[in-house]
Amino acid sequence: MFLTTVFKGLYLSNMHRYIAIFASGTGSNAKKIVEHFKHNQDITVSLIVSNKADAPVLDMARENDIPTLVIDRTYFYQTENILFFFNKFSIDFVVLAGFLWLVPRYLVQAFENRMVNIHPALLPKYGGKGMYGMRVHEAVKKAGETETGITIHFVNDHYDDGDIVFQAKCSVSPSDQPEDIAQKIHRLEHRHFPEVIEKLLQKV
Ligand code: GRF
């Protein structure tokens, strides 16, 4: 009996996957991911990390009883303490969902092919340092693009540069304003991001 329980426990802990989400803003993607995995027996969002103490995403985390960690630049770039934190929460996979800081090399290496970012355009277009939020959609509009989309990619130590895992497109009409494009993009992100994460976790 005892052995069975121990064995079962080991088996379960081997199978179970734990996600950390980094987000600094509203966290609408983080929320969708949390909702998607809420009743999943094998996957748990177990930590939400933010560099902003007043980010709304932290309220969402608390409402869902998910532990949070607020980091500053010194902690993130001058120490590797976050790895101890990740170890404590058994983190297997990291999701960047609206996190603007460049990820330091020690973290990229620790989570090689186990860390993804979502970008609100079809990379390699409209990516790189300074290309985030409405800036992306304004650039898409200014260029007169007839389509844009989302990119989910593995994270390396350059902005928006890792291997692309998934892209989805939407049309842009001449009357669309950057705000309209932002809405279309959010809808695409919410529809696809949790499912892509779930698929990737099957390979981790
Ligand atoms: C998303 O559009 C994502 O592509 C980008 O940051 C935004 C975050 O939005 N990386 P939200 O906070 O999840 O609503």
Side-chain angles (χ1 to χ4, degrees), residues 19 34 37 45 77 93 115 134 150 152:
I19 303 174
V34 166
F37 291 114
V45 176
Y77 292 109
F93 198 84
M115 175 161 30
M134 289 306 289
I150 62 168
I152 298 168

Side-chain angles (χ1 to χ4, degrees), residues 26-38:
T26 330
S28 70
N29 279 285
K31 188 165 188 268
K32 288 286 171 192
I33 297 164
V34 166
E35 284 168 358
H36 183 85
F37 291 114
K38 199 160 190 161

Side-chain angles (χ1 to χ4, degrees), residues 129-189:
K129 192 169 165 50
M131 285 305 267
Y132 58 86
M134 289 306 289
R135 291 184 187 192
V136 175
H137 310 311
E138 279 157 10
V140 166
K141 167 83 184 161
K142 198 170 169 195
E145 297 281 4
T146 54
E147 64 177 18
T148 185
I150 62 168
T151 303
I152 298 168
H153 64 92
F154 286 120
V155 174
N156 65 16
D157 52 1
H158 301 282
Y159 283 107
D160 306 324
D161 186 52
D163 289 348
I164 292 173
V165 176
F166 176 89
Q167 291 187 306
K169 293 178 181 174
C170 61
S171 62
V172 179
S173 68
S175 63
D176 278 340
Q177 297 307 305
E179 292 75 16
D180 304 313
I181 301 173
Q183 273 189 17
K184 288 183 179 182
I185 289 296
H186 259 117
R187 277 200 292 273
L188 270 187
E189 292 183 333

Side-chain angles (χ1 to χ4, degrees), residues 22-146:
F22 282 72
S24 305
T26 330
S28 70
N29 279 285
K31 188 165 188 268
K32 288 286 171 192
I33 297 164
V34 166
E35 284 168 358
H36 183 85
F37 291 114
K38 199 160 190 161
H39 302 292
N40 189 305
Q41 302 292 310
D42 302 321
I43 300 167
T44 304
V45 176
S46 53
L47 184 64
I48 296 203
V49 183
S50 183
N51 60 311
K52 288 191 185 155
D54 57 354
V57 70
L58 295 175
D59 297 327
M60 185 278 294
R62 285 185 279 267
E63 281 160 20
N64 286 280
D65 295 321
I66 300 170
T68 59
L69 174 67
V70 177
I71 56 171
D72 63 19
R73 284 188 178 277
T74 307
Y75 182 89
F76 200 42
Y77 292 109
Q78 308 297 325
T79 81
E80 298 187 5
N81 292 349
I82 202 164
L83 292 180
F84 292 102
F85 228 93
F86 279 9
N87 201 22
K88 189 175 157 201
F89 284 88
S90 306
I91 300 300
D92 301 290
F93 198 84
V94 177
V95 173
L96 310 186
F99 182 73
L100 300 183
W101 290 358
L102 194 63
V103 178
R105 184 163 289 177
Y106 71 82
L107 194 51
V108 169
Q109 283 174 348
F111 284 85
E112 195 181 1
N113 293 331
R114 293 188 296 138
M115 175 161 30
V116 290
N117 178 47
I118 188 159
H119 186 77
L122 295 170
L123 290 175
K125 282 178 155 185
Y126 308 107
K129 192 169 165 50
M131 285 305 267
Y132 58 86
M134 289 306 289
R135 291 184 187 192
V136 175
H137 310 311
E138 279 157 10
V140 166
K141 167 83 184 161
K142 198 170 169 195
E145 297 281 4
T146 54

